[in-house]
Amino acid sequence: MEKILEVKNLNISFDTYAGKVRAIRGVDFDLNKGETLAIVGESGSGKSVTTRTIMRLLSSNANIDEGEILFKGESIVDKTEKEMQKIRGREIAMIFQDPMTSLDPTMTIGKQVAESLRKHKKVSKKEGMKAALDLLNLVGIPDAEKRLKNYPHQFSGGQRQRIVIAIALICNPEILIADEPTTALDVTIQAQILELLKEIQEKIETSIIFITHDLGVVANVADRVAVMYAGRIIEVGTAEEIFYNPQHPYTWGLLGSMPTLDSENDRLYAIPGSPPDLLDPPKGDAFYPRNEFALKIDAEMEPPFFELSATHKAATWLLAPQAPKVTPPLEIQRRWDIFRKKQNQYSA
Ligand SMILES: Nc1ncnc2c1ncn2[C@@H]1O[C@H](COP(=O)(O)OP(=O)(O)OP(=O)(O)O)[C@@H](O)[C@H]1O
Ligand SMILES: [Mg+2]
């Protein structure tokens, strides 16, 4: 498989009054051409910082302490701001968390979509409008021709998110990064937007990085899933491997906290405790204090990755040959069962 993006041993820190925040601590992953990779983890785990580094959109107090990002074999870290401007939006596009802040309330939608094309490519106003119309149709805005003249506030939240996607797609980017594009919207719209991204991907062959804190959302759309915790990837695998054979207790917790939606007395499970302070990261496994299956060594030493298959690896001492065999808690297994049954219904 052709790799379009390679992230190698990325270490990012932020200078703050309280000291250095070690936000990203040795992140490695690849993105293959045409695939959808989901990056999942709790708030503060480093999902946005990782993707903002790929776009080189970090705040001024950020340091890339170590690591390499290769886009089609070329280093992103070494590029000048001018070179990045050619890549940003054109070759790597990003959809941000809140659609309203990404749109200009004083400009019609047609103009906004067309302008974003004209920023990167020499096309006439008329060609820009034609491209805008095609894209609004592609992202499913009904009556697109008429609506080109409407302003952002005249659209629903879901439609605005579609328009933001249209703007991101206008230059036919090779990578589309969607940073939690659906948190502000209700579940049905989330599902529709995800379906839409998937449909679009079939038509234009973009590679997608999809960021979310909700594993349930990505089950139907991700080819591979990377789970992040406290600035590291702690497990990565195909969607099948992560959903059916998860190995890290943190992944178990995330899977256990997916809402099952259908049972009346459904208690929402939350992983107890909170992530470590990244001003002073722990020397052992960062998940140690919250891990009910923690071993003595977790307090002492960072676990390495243990490989389960060519595509699946997890960083937990539970996979060491001498570790005791443990099974995920029954409550979590019960949730998986409900979830799997639903998945099967959908795919049937
Ligand atoms: N400009 C900054 N200055 C200092 N620390 C920062 C800065 N930006 C991010 N961080 C820290 O980096 C860590 C990772 O943040 P990031 O925004 O990547 O989290 P996230 O996984 O995207 O969370 P969320 O799901 O809430 O969006 C956090 O501990 C955060 O406090
Ligand atoms: Mg974020």
Side-chain angles (χ1 to χ4, degrees):
M1 229 176 279
E2 196 183 329
K3 289 176 189 169
I4 186 145
L5 189 77
E6 297 161 74
V7 177
K8 296 179 180 180
N9 190 29
L10 193 64
N11 285 272
I12 310 277
S13 63
F14 291 96
D15 298 322
T16 70
Y17 289 116
K20 254 189 195 313
V21 176
R22 312 230 168 246
I24 304 297
R25 306 180 301 132
V27 160
D28 282 289
F29 68 90
D30 297 330
L31 180 68
N32 297 314
K33 215 174 162 156
E35 81 169 340
T36 300
L37 170 73
I39 302 182
V40 189
E42 281 169 303
S43 183
S45 56
K47 308 178 299 291
S48 296
V49 172
T50 301
T51 44
R52 279 178 167 275
T53 313
I54 297 168
M55 295 286 275
R56 288 271 306 278
L57 286 174
L58 289 171
S59 54
S60 57
N61 63 333
N63 317 293
I64 303 181
D65 296 321
E66 226 184 310
E68 185 73 278
I69 298 175
L70 302 178
F71 171 55
K72 293 191 286 190
E74 276 186 37
S75 169
I76 285 265
V77 175
D78 295 338
K79 292 219 183 292
T80 61
E81 176 56 25
K82 211 166 165 198
E83 289 169 324
M84 277 316 295
Q85 280 171 8
K86 285 195 192 132
I87 293 178
R88 242 182 253 136
R90 183 148 72 183
E91 297 188 73
I92 309 178
M94 190 153 172
I95 307 169
F96 292 96
Q97 243 153 353
D98 179 1
M100 211 40 199
T101 55
S102 327
L103 295 172
D104 180 346
T106 67
M107 211 197 250
T108 65
I109 288 307
K111 224 176 171 179
Q112 281 188 61
V113 182
E115 281 303 308
S116 54
L117 177 64
R118 281 160 54 80
K119 229 174 18 197
H120 294 288
K121 290 197 177 139
K122 271 208 177 96
V123 293
S124 69
K125 278 197 175 140
K126 205 171 153 198
E127 286 167 325
M129 271 303 173
K130 170 78 177 62
L133 177 60
D134 288 348
L135 267 170
L136 290 184
N137 277 323
L138 178 73
V139 298
I141 300 285
D143 231 350
E145 187 146 18
K146 263 200 209 137
R147 305 222 62 187
L148 284 171
K149 294 192 193 72
N150 287 162
Y151 290 86
H153 72 268
Q154 291 169 293
F155 293 84
S156 71
Q159 285 174 329
R160 283 200 287 262
Q161 191 56 268
R162 286 168 191 263
I163 295 163
V164 171
I165 294 172
I167 291 175
L169 290 172
I170 194 121
C171 292
N172 239 327
E174 295 190 60
I175 301 177
L176 179 67
I177 301 174
D179 189 350
E180 210 127 21
T182 50
T183 29
L185 304 167
D186 76 49
V187 197
T188 6
I189 297 175
Q190 279 196 29
Q192 287 170 8
I193 296 283
L194 286 166
E195 286 290 314
L196 172 67
L197 283 179
K198 220 48 208 171
E199 270 171 45
I200 290 171
Q201 196 176 32
E202 274 165 29
K203 287 181 199 149
I204 66 170
E205 261 218 359
T206 320
S207 310
I208 297 178
I209 299 180
F210 191 88
I211 296 180
T212 175
H213 60 266
D214 184 352
L215 251 178
V217 166
V218 301
N220 288 317
V221 291
D223 298 307
R224 286 192 305 131
V225 179
V227 182
M228 277 194 87
Y229 185 74
R232 288 177 186 281
I233 289 176
I234 52 94
E235 182 160 6
V236 60
T238 62
E240 173 110 5
E241 285 164 338
I242 297 294
F243 284 96
Y244 288 84
N245 188 26
Q247 296 294 326
H248 198 291
Y250 180 65
T251 314
W252 294 348
L254 277 185
L255 284 166
S257 47
M258 291 185 310
T260 52
L261 293 173
D262 56 359
S263 61
E264 297 122 43
N265 45 12
D266 191 23
R267 275 184 306 121
L268 260 191
Y269 169 86
I271 304 169
S274 46
D277 183 359
L278 294 178
L279 277 167
D280 184 21
K283 69 173 166 162
D285 184 348
F287 191 56
Y288 166 69
R290 303 172 75 184
N291 182 1
E292 61 177 296
F293 305 100
L295 306 171
K296 230 166 148 186
I297 190 171
D298 282 308
E300 307 294 325
M301 251 171 99
E302 187 87 57
F305 270 113
F306 292 93
E307 283 191 14
L308 293 133
S309 76
T311 47
H312 188 191
K313 58 184 183 172
T316 165
W317 284 117
L318 288 174
L319 291 172
Q322 61 275 36
K325 288 278 155 280
V326 299
T327 46
L330 285 177
E331 173 60 16
I332 289 177
Q333 292 192 36
R334 186 185 70 83
R335 276 166 193 279
W336 292 350
D337 285 340
I338 298 173
F339 182 74
R340 285 167 188 164
K341 272 192 208 119
K342 272 205 242 156
Q343 290 295 304
N344 292 339
Q345 271 170 19
Y346 285 133
S347 51

